[in-house]
Amino acid sequence: YKDSAKSSYPPRTYNRRVSTNIWQTTLAGAMLEAGLRLVSLQAMFKLNVMLFWDESYAEVPISLKMASAGLFCVGILAWVCLAFLTAWSYRDFTHPDNQIGKLLGFGAAALLSMFAMPNDVALLAIHMLPASHGGLLQDQNCIAGNQRWPVHTIAHHCKADHDYTNWSGSKVQLPLFVFIDVGGSMVIAYISWVSGVINF
């Protein structure tokens, strides 16, 4: 009785239903966001390269070029470091394996953190562990009794707790937002105004 009471307190009040449709929509949304982030970084990298090699920017002070490139490099470095720190904080969720397996698992966790993959996707195996074994899975069933349409009921303590945990990796994006999206864009905009060249 004590064990069952301890495992069920505080009571879970938010049930999340996961079907094939919902899972594919969540995964597709996460992949789309990661792709857009990669495209934006590639565009900013190209702009920084052009600052040094394109003759249109020959009159731009070297200090502005270095400021733009510096913000980009600092943002990328901080982004990668924060992702690896986040992956390290989740290391207890990685099961024992050989050395290569551990490195691959750690690298994959860091990569998922870099692109803000929600924990509903990254930690699916934990969410699908039955509640009787200490997990979150409450029920498994099929929609309209059709085995091609499985649906899983995953229970969380509350919606706010789920949302916070699900997007806890979003903090890894902060260096990109501060140094590249805001700082870098402002410097590039000022350079474009000074040089009269717009390459956004």
Side-chain angles (χ1 to χ4, degrees), residues 17 141-151:
R17 303 266 285 175
N141 215 320
C142 294
I143 298 173
N146 193 323
Q147 294 180 349
R148 293 174 297 179
W149 304 332
V151 60

Side-chain angles (χ1 to χ4, degrees), residues 79-94 99 102-114 123 169 171-172:
W79 176 49
V80 173
C81 290
L82 194 55
F84 275 93
L85 285 174
T86 300
W88 180 255
S89 69
Y90 278 87
R91 65 189 183 279
D92 289 340
F93 293 98
T94 303
Q99 197 64 28
K102 288 181 179 179
L103 289 175
L104 287 175
F106 182 69
L111 186 62
L112 292 175
S113 295
M114 287 171 64
L123 300 180
K171 64 180 181 295
V172 177

Side-chain angles (χ1 to χ4, degrees), residues 2 50 65 67 141 179:
K2 289 183 179 180
M50 290 175 63
K65 296 179 180 181
N141 215 320
F179 292 105

